[in-house]
Amino acid sequence: MSVLVIKFGTASITLPDGSLNEAVIADIARQVAELRRSYHIVLVSSGAVGAGKGLIEGYRGDMAQRKAAAAVGNLLLLNVYNRYFSQYNIPIAQTLCERHHFADRQQFLQLKETVQELWKNGIIPIANENDVVSDRELKFSDNDELATLMAVGFGASTLMLCTSVGGLLDETGHIVPTVKQVDESIFSVVRNEKSALGLGGMASKLTFAKLATRMGIRVTIFGLKQPDGILRALRGETGTAFKPQQSTPTARQRWLASGSLTAGVLRVDAGAVAALGRRNSLLAVGVRTVEGEFEAGEVVEICDETGTAVAVARARLSSAQLLGQLNQQNVEVANANDIVLL
């Protein structure tokens, strides 16, 4: 069966005070119960902080309080999901993820193996970032990213990102039904707005839609306000559908693309960008600057001279080694087999 990843943001499943909207979660369970006959499903759900913050005295939203709210809220969130999925005899499992689970291939393979075992037993995993122990500030992350990493890494056919506005809105406030390619013209219509409860926004969704579609995944941004919101969006009747690009990445390339915990950034010249486009290796002579510290074997982001990300790659040299060999001919920084174009 095909893999389907569906992400629900905080604003989509909570009431204005942050408490969980059980009617919405009940409707999610009903629709997902219908889809599970055709798909292996992963749900990525925000809402833990919103659900738990009411139990944190004098909640102000600082980092320690957010982590405490997540610790309480994760239990509340999963209990509500379990209550409604159990009506369809569907067991659920909690899957708390951190970035290093994707950056380290062995840990990623363990995660993938666990999820596949859950599917084999008819269990739907509900994933969330492990906010309680995350060593990076929450503001640098959102669950749009987690959902995309899972979709890319697991080879999903479709990634669905739920939003309170129901899709990508144009300048007049109407939903754009189809996007053929995520480019500057698409980003230009984004309004810089996000809910008070959530961390993500439309710009975030577009960024990850771009990565997913380049990996051959169909992306849909949709809402739950209309009846059968998930089912209708999957059929292309509502929301915004982003067409997948022609791509046949290997499992290892998908993992590289999903390992967004990059240890550094390489800015390269136009000649190197063109060589990468021809599926050649990256040589030191084409590297203009090295940002960050990384070891040989770690994943780095490759940007052109304007700062636009063009690829991710597994470095064959450490940052220190590379800095000592810039502008040298025939020094391979990353082999073509370890480079994924974005």
Side-chain angles (χ1 to χ4, degrees):
M1 286 193 289
S2 298
V3 175
L4 171 63
V5 177
I6 313 174
K7 180 262 181 178
F8 301 102
T10 301
S12 299
I13 63 168
T14 58
L15 298 168
D17 65 356
S19 61
L20 296 172
N21 189 331
E22 295 199 20
V24 167
I25 293 177
D27 200 42
I28 289 171
R30 177 186 62 82
Q31 295 180 69
V32 171
E34 185 172 331
L35 291 173
R36 73 190 290 257
R37 294 192 289 266
S38 304
Y39 295 92
H40 288 310
I41 297 173
V42 175
L43 301 185
V44 178
S45 180
S46 304
V49 174
K53 70 175 188 176
L55 296 173
I56 306 302
E57 186 176 349
Y59 184 82
R60 300 177 305 279
D62 61 39
M63 189 53 53
Q65 288 183 325
R66 289 185 68 87
K67 290 178 183 292
V72 177
N74 273 322
L75 181 61
L76 298 174
L77 182 67
L78 266 291
N79 278 341
V80 173
Y81 272 112
N82 183 63
R83 186 184 314 148
Y84 292 104
F85 273 94
S86 65
Q87 295 178 7
Y88 302 94
N89 296 316
I90 300 174
I92 62 170
Q94 185 176 49
T95 307
L96 294 177
C97 299
E98 300 169 42
R99 279 178 181 76
H100 62 82
H101 296 149
F102 294 89
D104 182 284
R105 181 156 174 76
Q106 290 306 312
Q107 290 195 34
F108 171 74
L109 291 176
Q110 291 175 22
L111 171 64
K112 187 175 182 180
E113 185 179 78
T114 300
V115 170
Q116 289 173 334
E117 187 66 25
L118 293 172
W119 288 333
K120 189 186 304 181
N121 288 276
I123 301 168
I124 292 181
I126 298 182
N128 195 0
E129 183 173 8
N130 192 2
D131 295 336
V132 178
V133 298
S134 176
D135 60 359
R136 292 184 60 180
E137 300 241 318
L138 298 182
K139 66 181 180 180
F140 295 122
S141 167
D142 59 54
N143 273 339
D144 295 325
E145 179 181 15
L146 174 57
T148 304
L149 301 188
M150 299 193 89
V152 173
F154 293 174
S157 62
T158 304
L159 167 64
M160 303 184 72
L161 302 174
C162 185
T163 174
S164 58
V165 297
L168 174 65
L169 303 182
D170 62 19
E171 295 89 340
T172 65
H174 293 91
I175 292 176
V176 179
T178 306
V179 173
K180 293 183 178 180
Q181 186 171 348
V182 183
D183 53 23
E184 289 184 13
S185 67
I186 299 300
F187 276 97
S188 68
V189 305
V190 173
R191 300 173 180 177
N192 293 320
E193 55 190 26
K194 60 184 179 181
S195 74
L197 293 170
L199 292 169
M202 189 56 69
S204 166
K205 289 174 176 58
L206 290 179
T207 296
F208 296 115
K210 182 177 181 180
L211 170 61
T213 54
R214 287 188 172 185
M215 289 292 105
I217 299 170
R218 177 176 178 263
V219 178
T220 298
I221 297 178
F222 73 104
L224 290 171
K225 292 180 180 179
Q226 57 273 79
D228 289 338
I230 302 172
L231 300 174
R232 293 179 63 202
L234 192 58
R235 295 194 296 263
E237 297 173 5
T238 62
T240 304
F242 295 77
K243 294 189 174 181
Q245 307 299 304
Q246 292 295 324
S247 178
T248 55
T250 65
R252 190 169 189 279
Q253 287 173 326
R254 286 199 302 270
W255 165 71
L256 268 174
S258 71
S260 74
L261 182 62
T262 52
V265 177
L266 306 180
R267 289 183 183 260
V268 301
D269 60 25
V273 172
L276 293 176
R278 296 191 297 271
R279 305 301 305 147
N280 293 329
S281 299
L282 176 64
L283 302 180
V285 68
V287 178
R288 286 289 168 260
T289 61
V290 179
E291 301 173 15
E293 296 183 3
F294 52 88
E295 299 299 327
E298 290 194 290
V299 176
V300 296
E301 184 176 62
I302 302 174
C303 296
D304 63 18
E305 291 184 282
T306 69
T308 301
V310 296
V312 291
R314 180 164 290 281
R316 300 196 68 179
L317 304 173
S318 68
S319 53
Q321 291 171 323
L322 177 54
L323 286 169
Q325 299 184 67
L326 287 180
N327 301 319
Q328 291 191 22
Q329 298 283 347
N330 301 321
V331 174
E332 190 175 75
V333 177
N335 187 270
N337 293 329
D338 292 331
I339 298 173
V340 178
L341 300 178
L342 300 177

